[in-house]
Amino acid sequence: MSVSFTRREAWRNRFLILPSVLLLAAFVVYPAGFAVYTSLTNEALSGPAAMNPRFVGFANYAKLLTDQNFWRSLAITFWFVLFSAIIGQLVLGLLSAMLLNRRFALRPLVNAIILMPNAVPEVVAALMWASMLAAGEYGTLNNIVAWFGVDPQRWLTSFPLTMIIIVNIWRGIGFAMILMTSGLSSISDELYEAARMDGANTSQIFRRITLPLLVPTIFLYLLVSTVSTIAIFGLVFALTRGGPAGSTELVGIYIYNQSFNSYQLGYGSAVAVVVLVFSLLVGMLYVRALKVDV
Amino acid sequence: MSSITLTNIRKRFGALEVIKGVDISIADGEFAVFVGPSGCGKSTLLRMIAGLESISDGEFRLDGELMNDVSPDKRGLAMVFQSYALYPHMTVAENIGFSLDLKGVDKAEIKRRVGAVADKLQLGKLLDRKPQALSGGQRQRVAIGRAIIKEPKVILFDEPLSNLDAALRVQMRAELQELHRTTKSTIIYVTHDQVEAMTLADRIVVLSEGQVKQADHPIALYKQPDNLFVGQFIGSPKMNVFQARVEAVDDTSARIVTADGWTVALDSVKGLSAGETVQLGIRPEDLSLAEPSNADITVQAILSERLGMETYVSFQTKGEPAIARIAGDHRIGTGEQVPLKINRNACHLFDSTGRAIRRS
């Protein structure tokens, strides 16, 4: 190939990625950079700092270290991610993928039931669950448990974290199932037949063939779902606003509350930057752990 | 001892019957090959023997024992798959030893037996590799190793050489024969390649549309096909068939005239009557180049293919073009007149339904 052809090709390729580069720069890189800058100031939405924001160095980060509410929200986020994304969605997504790999009469219906939550806008989903979990005898769930003789519960007050974990599992199974289905379909039927001929029973086939061959898919799923669940906001905010008493204040909600309820934009930005670094670390860990092709 | 008897075996997928009452018996230590065109049911039949497909009707007995509802791993069979089906996340050693590991055989014993099998198949140096780091032939050997470590009564092969290149196929064919000689196990082998079938089999079962067309020793199939289908399926290039009429008969011979007006007098033919319609089968190798003076027929060449040691001459007939396989290298141009001699003793006769008319 001639030098001029190669050079022309290189220019054409740069031209092709230009729109993406511009959009990413405008809506991701610039805001992120601005957040880093803001986190180093005492920018606020009211008070003297709003008039004259000052550069404060790492003061916001120093304050973070001793902020009990920040550590509490990190802990809540950890449990939320662990139980809803890593355990709940993954296990149920894998189970439903395996179930739907078989043929049975109600398959399209089950498929729709699992995928629908993913298609509903998150605020709509949250409002549905607000009605479902409403306290008092008119709440849908209270009506259901009443058949079993259980007294009406204040679900979102008594078990707030458990409830948002359940809601998030419900919403995320579909995505996990789609990924797991694609992982399962890449395992050839002949492998299962060979394993049967070798004398493996159903559970041995699952443990020794299916699961090891799904590991790359599972890691890919964990990468995507961990990072997106750390950043979750709308679903939980619409349902609980982080309450009661901060018990569902995920780190995303904490950032919002600090920035727009306490008006401390600089401090909120510092939390956001820490979470960004944290997500990057988790992502790198997964990618390293299994050299997943992302 | 491990003999196999299939009695009136049928397989239905819904309303569609794909195996239509098959009877086959395979003796202990026999190398049986199921052969037939795509879709004839040979793989389905093999999978029914393996236990991977259920048997809709009929009986499958192994050493006299009814196997219809026995699970695949309890039948004492091993199978080598077309794609080899090696477990991609396991090493060669783990692949070969997987069945023993599942049975709970202890690690040292597994290692010893895997080592022995690997030596036999020249896989000793590859035991720690994963399947993707192996060549096609090596993968094939691992798949065979995985089968023979179980010391099965019968080894089933499902088109095992179809993913290999031509040179490797010839080599693996030799290795399979060697394997059969040393293990003395009963083998059932499925292929659509009649050369593989001819070279490997003690007995070939020719299948078409879910039915057995003929089952016999390869040379018997070649020399005495029961029907036109077998006659044309076995042998390459395939047998030429000419529509013909019986012109005259006496006690032991008949004079046949083909649609092209060629007259062929055949000995040792019985049971024909004059005027009857027959099909005359002549293998390409039974047509040879002759001097114009003593030629049986003279044909017009369409195409000649020179292979060096022999020449394939295609020629025009009233029916489909026919082919002659002539020894030696000949330069024959398109349109040229070619005098041919017919080996009358090797001609085959079939009635109008395609059933062979035996010559004594």
Side-chain angles (χ1 to χ4, degrees):
Chain A
M1 247 176 281
S2 72
V3 175
S4 77
F5 178 80
T6 324
R7 198 173 296 155
R8 245 185 308 144
E9 182 123 288
W11 274 108
R12 194 198 63 196
N13 291 348
R14 276 173 218 165
F15 187 72
L16 283 175
I17 62 167
L18 190 64
S20 317
V21 169
L22 285 179
L23 286 170
L24 282 173
F27 296 107
V28 178
V29 180
Y30 172 71
F34 196 77
V36 173
Y37 165 75
T38 311
S39 74
L40 300 174
T41 69
N42 67 347
E43 177 82 75
L45 291 174
S46 71
M51 298 277 287
N52 270 321
R54 250 179 333 104
F55 185 74
V56 295
F58 288 98
N60 286 327
Y61 293 94
K63 185 177 157 198
L64 263 180
L65 292 177
T66 56
D67 180 351
Q68 293 301 320
N69 288 337
F70 168 69
W71 291 109
R72 184 191 61 192
S73 97
L74 268 192
I76 291 170
T77 307
F78 173 79
W79 294 119
F80 181 71
V81 171
L82 179 69
F83 286 111
S84 69
I86 296 181
I87 297 176
Q89 293 173 2
L90 177 62
V91 172
L92 291 175
L94 180 55
L95 282 179
S96 17
M98 286 170 41
L99 177 72
L100 291 170
N101 240 358
R102 297 158 190 243
R103 283 162 203 274
F104 57 96
L106 294 176
R107 187 162 82 158
L109 182 69
V110 176
N111 210 348
I113 289 174
I114 293 170
L115 286 174
M116 200 68 90
N118 216 16
V120 178
E122 59 181 354
V123 176
V124 176
L127 291 177
M128 258 171 58
W129 277 96
S131 138
M132 176 72 116
L133 301 173
E137 51 193 294
Y138 298 110
T140 310
L141 186 58
N142 276 337
N143 268 308
I144 294 170
V145 299
W147 298 339
F148 304 98
V150 178
D151 290 335
Q153 302 287 319
R154 300 166 63 82
W155 300 102
L156 283 171
T157 315
S158 311
F159 323 100
L161 186 57
T162 312
M163 287 304 131
I164 62 167
I165 286 172
I166 289 173
V167 173
N168 194 45
I169 291 174
W170 166 82
R171 197 169 151 75
I173 293 175
F175 174 66
M177 183 188 79
I178 289 171
L179 259 186
M180 293 304 142
T181 302
S182 84
L184 284 175
S185 66
S186 71
I187 304 175
S188 110
D189 286 342
E190 282 201 340
L191 286 185
Y192 294 124
E193 292 180 343
R196 272 173 70 198
M197 295 292 296
D198 274 346
N201 59 32
T202 312
S203 94
Q204 283 168 326
I205 288 177
F206 179 73
R207 278 184 295 114
R208 309 278 308 260
I209 308 289
T210 315
L211 213 48
L213 290 174
L214 269 186
V215 163
T217 314
I218 289 175
F219 267 77
L220 179 64
Y221 168 75
L222 288 180
L223 169 67
V224 175
S225 77
T226 306
V227 171
S228 70
T229 309
I230 288 174
I232 216 161
F233 175 78
L235 185 69
V236 177
F237 188 78
L239 207 53
T240 68
R241 312 221 153 223
S247 58
T248 59
E249 194 171 44
L250 300 173
V251 81
I253 297 175
Y254 184 70
I255 293 168
Y256 176 87
N257 283 345
Q258 287 304 314
S259 304
F260 302 109
N261 282 339
S262 307
Y263 305 140
Q264 303 179 61
L265 275 187
Y267 186 60
S269 299
V271 179
V273 170
V274 170
V275 173
L276 174 70
V277 171
F278 203 70
S279 296
L280 283 176
L281 285 178
V282 171
M284 277 159 61
L285 197 77
Y286 281 135
V287 173
R288 277 280 169 78
L290 230 108
K291 297 188 194 121
V292 184
D293 296 319
V294 196
Chain B
M1 288 296 283
S2 34
S3 60
I4 286 178
T5 336
L6 303 177
T7 317
N8 196 21
I9 289 282
R10 288 172 191 277
K11 176 71 187 177
R12 280 180 287 267
F13 292 110
L16 182 71
E17 191 168 56
V18 292
I19 302 289
K20 301 165 183 167
V22 162
D23 297 291
I24 299 172
S25 54
I26 297 162
D28 180 44
E30 206 166 31
F31 197 130
V33 174
F34 293 175
V35 70
S38 301
C40 70
K42 55 192 189 296
S43 281
T44 307
L45 196 56
L46 191 78
R47 292 167 55 82
M48 288 161 78
I49 294 171
L52 297 170
E53 295 283 357
S54 63
I55 297 170
S56 310
D57 212 342
E59 283 186 354
F60 160 36
R61 288 177 185 276
L62 183 61
D63 293 338
E65 206 178 319
L66 190 65
M67 285 285 156
N68 284 39
D69 299 316
V70 177
S71 74
D73 58 304
K74 303 279 190 308
R75 295 186 181 196
L77 311 171
M79 180 152 166
V80 175
F81 291 83
Q82 182 170 9
S83 68
Y84 318 138
L86 301 180
Y87 311 120
H89 55 297
M90 297 184 197
T91 63
V92 168
E94 288 165 338
N95 263 286
I96 297 176
F98 189 58
S99 60
L100 300 182
D101 191 19
L102 290 172
K103 266 193 229 155
V105 176
D106 77 47
K107 296 267 182 274
E109 170 71 5
I110 294 178
K111 195 164 182 230
R112 193 186 61 74
R113 283 172 65 181
V114 168
V117 167
D119 283 346
K120 193 176 200 169
L121 297 166
Q122 293 142 34
L123 289 168
K125 291 195 180 120
L126 306 173
L127 284 176
D128 294 326
R129 294 227 195 136
K130 294 265 176 76
Q132 76 226 36
L134 301 178
S135 70
Q138 289 165 339
R139 286 178 202 187
Q140 173 75 77
R141 281 204 281 271
V142 176
I144 293 171
R146 198 171 61 179
I148 62 177
I149 200 165
K150 291 189 266 190
E151 293 168 357
K153 294 180 191 164
V154 181
I155 309 180
L156 311 173
F157 287 90
D158 187 7
E159 308 219 15
L161 305 187
S162 57
N163 290 340
L164 303 179
D165 62 52
L168 205 50
R169 220 177 287 175
V170 175
Q171 185 196 332
M172 287 308 298
R173 235 157 50 198
E175 288 184 24
L176 284 172
Q177 273 170 323
E178 176 69 12
L179 177 82
H180 180 233
R181 206 176 52 75
T182 53
T183 60
K184 297 188 176 65
S185 41
T186 309
I187 289 179
I188 303 180
Y189 186 106
V190 162
T191 180
H192 63 267
D193 179 345
Q194 54 102 4
V195 176
E196 255 170 52
M198 292 296 283
T199 52
L200 289 169
D202 295 323
R203 179 213 288 276
I204 295 181
V205 179
V206 182
L207 289 156
S208 169
E209 293 174 353
Q211 285 172 317
V212 176
K213 288 292 176 185
Q214 191 173 359
D216 211 331
H217 187 273
I219 299 306
L221 291 187
Y222 176 81
K223 291 204 164 150
Q224 293 199 304
D226 271 349
N227 48 60
L228 194 55
F229 180 85
V230 174
Q232 289 206 293
F233 193 81
I234 302 290
S236 173
K238 70 176 187 184
M239 181 190 282
N240 301 307
V241 178
F242 304 98
Q243 298 304 318
R245 198 170 48 78
V246 181
E247 195 182 57
V249 287
D250 61 28
D251 276 356
T252 58
S253 68
R255 201 159 74 238
I256 313 288
V257 179
T258 72
D260 289 86
W262 301 330
T263 305
V264 186
L266 297 178
D267 299 334
S268 326
V269 181
K270 277 182 193 156
L272 286 181
S273 48
E276 200 175 327
T277 311
V278 293
Q279 305 183 72
L280 176 67
I282 307 176
R283 294 196 182 277
E285 50 272 38
D286 296 325
L287 291 168
S288 52
L289 204 57
E291 291 302 319
S293 56
N294 64 359
D296 291 320
I297 57 175
T298 302
V299 299
Q300 188 174 23
I302 306 171
L303 169 78
S304 77
E305 294 163 286
R306 297 164 66 190
L307 305 181
M309 82 288 199
E310 56 192 10
T311 308
Y312 294 171
V313 181
S314 306
F315 56 90
Q316 201 73 59
T317 75
K318 288 255 167 64
E320 295 201 350
I323 194 164
R325 186 175 174 177
I326 295 165
D329 182 35
H330 301 276
R331 188 192 292 266
I332 295 168
T334 301
E336 220 172 282
Q337 294 296 313
V338 185
L340 295 174
K341 196 157 183 57
I342 299 170
N343 176 4
R344 293 204 186 97
N345 292 328
C347 285
H348 302 267
L349 279 178
F350 303 94
D351 65 17
S352 53
T353 64
R355 213 172 33 210
I357 300 165
R358 283 265 184 260
R359 299 175 62 192
S360 46

